[in-house]
Amino acid sequence: MSEVTIKAQKPAYELTVRDFVMCFRTAAGAYETDLIKLPVIKTLSVEPDASSKKIYASGGVYDIATAVRGARLGLGAVALPEELLVKAAGSVQDGATAYDTGLPQLPEFGCGYWCEKSDGSKVYYWHPRCKLTIGNSEHKTSDDSDIDPEVSQDIEAMPTEDEGIWKMRYFTDKVQSGQTALTPDAFFKLRPYTAAELKSAGSGGNPS
């Protein structure tokens, strides 16, 4: 019998979420060249659409099967560009005017964000296939209270068609020996869509 060892760990904790990044996809399924970076996040929640089912055999629990069908992202931001929301909502725009129809054609996009941790490392998150959720809007009058603007927007993260990937992560403290971690801009410019593209980002890095 092998000896059991105890390994103490003191994990780093998250300090803050930083920029929100998104890139629309063309009708042909490729990412557009414009990558939009928004330093606007106040809160960001991720609610997976998941279910679990117990599998019984021989009078006991044989296994638990889990299925994840994507997730809903809840974005709380100081503000979001109107032209971005118009495009993501499938609105029909003509110059200074835009209108919405009952059957909008919502374009797909990839979106991500990154977080700083207490040990100085960073984690980059990327959802390769998303669509905007059409939600409520609210307009308020100004008053004497302190100004602290915030808008909320829900986003549906969907699994990719071939591999079923709905979330990707890149850890800057896990890069290979001899490499320095990618910066947030360098990672998001890659806009990975497949597992192979994500793995290439993780193994490439920048020469140290």
Side-chain angles (χ1 to χ4, degrees):
M1 182 177 180
S2 60
E3 182 180 355
V4 176
T5 59
I6 299 176
K7 184 179 180 181
Q9 289 186 328
K10 188 177 181 181
Y13 52 88
E14 185 177 298
L15 292 176
T16 186
V17 62
R18 296 295 298 267
D19 301 331
F20 181 76
V21 182
M22 67 179 295
C23 186
F24 285 98
R25 293 174 57 79
T26 66
Y31 285 116
E32 295 181 356
T33 55
D34 291 335
L35 187 67
I36 304 163
K37 181 169 74 171
L38 302 169
V40 298
I41 300 180
K42 301 187 79 169
T43 61
L44 200 150
S45 62
V46 181
E47 182 182 352
D49 180 10
S51 61
S52 297
K53 179 180 176 59
K54 292 180 180 178
I55 300 173
Y56 292 90
S58 299
V61 178
Y62 180 79
D63 200 357
I64 295 179
T66 300
V68 182
R69 293 168 291 276
R72 172 163 290 199
L73 313 182
L75 174 63
V78 174
L80 293 170
E82 195 65 39
E83 61 272 17
L84 183 151
L85 294 174
V86 167
K87 183 174 181 178
S91 304
V92 180
Q93 187 163 13
D94 184 6
T97 66
Y99 61 88
D100 299 283
T101 63
L103 294 173
Q105 299 299 310
L106 277 66
E108 289 188 10
F109 56 88
C111 70
Y113 43 93
W114 61 281
C115 299
E116 292 182 353
K117 304 187 74 175
S118 60
D119 62 356
S121 67
K122 303 175 181 67
V123 185
Y124 311 149
Y125 298 88
W126 182 249
H127 302 276
R129 186 171 177 239
C130 300
K131 281 194 175 185
L132 193 74
T133 297
I134 305 298
N136 300 331
S137 60
E138 184 179 33
H139 306 278
K140 299 180 180 179
T141 186
S142 60
D143 54 29
D144 294 332
S145 61
D146 294 335
I147 298 176
D148 187 16
E150 182 173 356
V151 296
S152 299
Q153 182 62 61
D154 287 339
I155 297 168
E156 288 289 342
M158 303 175 291
T160 56
E161 299 93 331
D162 295 334
E163 299 177 297
I165 298 172
W166 66 274
K167 180 171 70 172
M168 297 175 168
R169 283 163 285 184
Y170 177 96
F171 303 92
T172 62
D173 61 345
K174 306 295 184 186
V175 296
Q176 293 182 353
S177 176
Q179 301 286 332
T180 56
L182 295 173
T183 64
D185 286 353
F187 172 77
F188 290 119
K189 281 182 179 180
L190 298 175
R191 299 163 303 171
Y193 192 81
T194 66
E197 291 171 344
L198 179 65
K199 185 176 180 180
S200 177
S203 60
N206 296 314
S208 58

